[in-house]
Amino acid sequence: MTAHAPLLELQHISLSFKGIKAITDISFAVQQGEICALIGPNGAGKSSLLNVINGVYQPDEGVISFNSKSYSRMKAHQAAVQGIARTFQNIALFKGMSVLDNVLTGRNLKVRSNWLEQMLNSGRAPADYVSQRIKAEEVIDFLRINQWRNSIVGTLPYGLQKRVELARALASEPRLLLLDEPMAGMNNEEKAEMSAFILDTQREFGTTVVLIEHDIGVVMNLSGHVVVLDYGKKVGDGTPDEVRHNPEVIAAYLGTKH
Amino acid sequence: MDFFLEVLTGGLLAGVMYSLVAIGFVLIYKASGVFNFAQGAMVLFAALTFVSLWEHGIPFWGAFVMTLLSMLALAWGVERVVLRPLVNRPPITLFMATLGLSYVIEGLAQLLWGSQVHGLELGISDEPLEVGGMLVSQFDLFAAGVAGVLVLILSLLFNKTRIGITLRAVADDQLAALAVGIRLERIWMIVWAVAGFVGLVAGLLWGARLGVQFSLSLVVLKALPVLIIGGFTSVGGAIVGGLIIGASEKLAEIYLGPLIGGGIENWFPYVLALLFLLVRPSGIFGERAIERV
Amino acid sequence: MLYRESGQFNTSYRADQRWFRLWQQRWVFATWMILAFVVVPLIGNDYWLNAILIPFLVLSLAGLGLNLLTGYAGQISLGSAAFMAIGAFATYNFQLRIEGMPLLISLFLGGLTAAGAGVVFGLPSLRIKGFYLLVSTLAAQFFVTWILTQCGWFSNYNASGVITAPPLVVLGQNISSPAGRYLLTLSVAFVLFWLARNIVHGELGRRWMAVRDMDTAAAVIGIPILQTKLLAFAISSFVLGIAGALWAFAYLGTVEPHGFDLSRSFQILFIIIIGGMGSILGSFLGAAFIVLLPILLSNLSATFLAGWVDPGQLENLQKIIFGALIIFFLIKEPQGLARLLEIVRQRARVWPLRF
């Protein structure tokens, strides 16, 4: 463990929907620069936890600390401003827009010109556009989606859409990247490719990553830190090796003798 | 105080008339997720067809059945020409299609039967009746009774018949219903036909009140705030919403009207609905969906 | 064969943002502009200017206004006519009550007034989504026509709420002639279309479309939802307000609140459905369609059905045809005439080959 304060720390987070507990008293910390995997059976509360971290849901109890600041509730906008980016389980791209426009919206917080300047195409607007475009094109190059730059996102195949969504998240130059099943529904080749992109992101930009993944092989290769959830509770937390030998984790995945 | 109660009762009963239109709306929304703006046009079409047939010397029940058949044909046509090709389109597209549909139905109704005003005399006097010291319109009482019977029939249909169970299945989850072999097209047609029947009943009552004319199709604008307050998916909500709108509209007209000027019933229900929405964004009885991402 | 991209490359990101990337497009545009600004006022007769071109331009502006809100920002509205009415009555009052107020400034202030009203009725859009938002826009529709009729001040105490345009003077020139009113409308439309085009191709336009396509995701990437939606309401209402003022001042001359009733709102919605949602050009095409179709129908029936169909029935027939066309477009080409034109353009690009 490093001596630095963790980038993200969850303390005693609980969340319920109409009285049904989705998350019960979960605490864990994510260190700067690591890739942390959230695993657990379906319905364990993994996606809900990501939604709490970036403010889509507000927790009933608990504190989220990000970058040494504490929040009892995070707003989605606030999370984005703090440098938390996100992809979704069921792809939440802007389907009627081109790949380039999707990536450019990812940079919306970096835009300096106001809408009056944009409307008159003067002042800071033209130079601003060019600088945002350069950054967006860098991300597009990085994820090798150049040839689909002007395609409408809704018309692209599933695997590419996943990549465009990652591009949109990366375009915001995030400190923390939340990936909800980035490899769901992919074949092995596509999974390997996506894993490589995630690793490259972490190495090149020092981005901290929290990801949800069901493929244990991928998780063990990719991440240095694994948190296991079951029925909304944390049952394991540690390095892949530690988690692999944790009896509670084995019980959650394989069942126990009763 | 007596006067207040009288206004309130009058308003509540008038509200039942709004509910009648709203119920047809709810049926279609529940079963197909279509926000049917053409419900008002269907009311007009039904009333105009009925009254024209009746004026041509066809007896009451004969005209009623023939109108019902024509509503069935309309439902069939709508399912074929509008709903089927638009399956899986965003709800907003379907809504706009029903806007177009309302133009077609209104145009068709007037093309067939002319656009002059027809009187409709159902033989119920509109004389006020004294009930417990209050003056209440007989006609409104009759309308309330009809609405009650209609709701009873609909709830029997929904809860006791096989069609009802299928309808509820479709309302709950279209895809799952499709997977167990329910034929969506048939269900849609049935629902639109039932909504047509509700439209006919509403058309007769409204027609007797206002005369059968083009403005009947504008009752849809009254039904909209009713739905907002009651929720799009609940027949009970449509009734309660109607009562709330009817009562508050009359009270506002009487007590607020003199202060800010007459004719506020056009927009007052909308402002009321808007206030409701700000407190409960999915209506009193509407389900509040949790956004899953 | 003439329409080719070959040899024309964009070598900078700014060049990629231009209006027309090909010289062919620039030439076509320039030709259209010369036609519209120079040739038409010289040769157009009063009927063409008054009955076709002016209403066409005003309606395309109104279509543009609604398109910004519904087609780009995804907020459906049935209250467009209310904002037109506000624009018209506000412009009238600025002209009437402030001595020596230039017409163009009044127009601008009228648009701003409509924009303010747009923000007020757009406020619920943060909490209310989809169909429920119709209530807010319908409330605007009914409330505005009511208050304009009810409160005599707005129409300078005219008994039936009618306002009459004063003589139109711009920069000391009386432009009350058909050609003058046409040029006024055309110039205003040109400027607003140019501004709108810049908006939808810029950051704000992307934000609108992001909110339209998936508002949760838009919030997650940091787009301020309320501000974005309210700007859509404000800018849309501004354009609609100016369209309303031109409708009253440049087209009809006199107008009453009920000239801006619900059926006008429907008409504007139909313009963008037929023309193309989320397309600047679509607003033009839809407006042209909706102005020309009734004229075409009445001419056709006068020629072929003379004596068979009476005028009242013709109106019903027209209604059926409009309704049917709406349904037809929604089924066959949800992106409207603009998309059809785009397909033609693509074909022309590769002609005589097919792909």
Side-chain angles (χ1 to χ4, degrees), chain A residues 71-106:
Chain A
Y71 307 86
S72 62
R73 48 185 6 206
M74 188 80 103
K75 292 246 172 70
H77 180 75
Q78 207 175 12
V81 172
Q82 291 297 317
I84 303 179
R86 165 82 190 267
T87 70
F88 295 85
Q89 194 175 347
N90 300 315
I91 304 184
L93 283 166
F94 309 125
K95 293 221 158 48
M97 296 160 68
S98 69
V99 170
L100 177 63
D101 279 345
N102 266 279
V103 178
L104 278 170
T105 49

Side-chain angles (χ1 to χ4, degrees), chain B residues 89 106 228 262 267 278 291, chain C residues 127 135 146 216 319 330-331:
Chain B
R89 291 290 189 78
E106 282 167 18
I228 297 290
W267 56 265
L278 292 175
E291 214 156 346
Chain C
R127 263 180 85 78
V135 176
W146 176 80
T216 317
K319 241 181 147 169
L330 287 171
I331 293 172

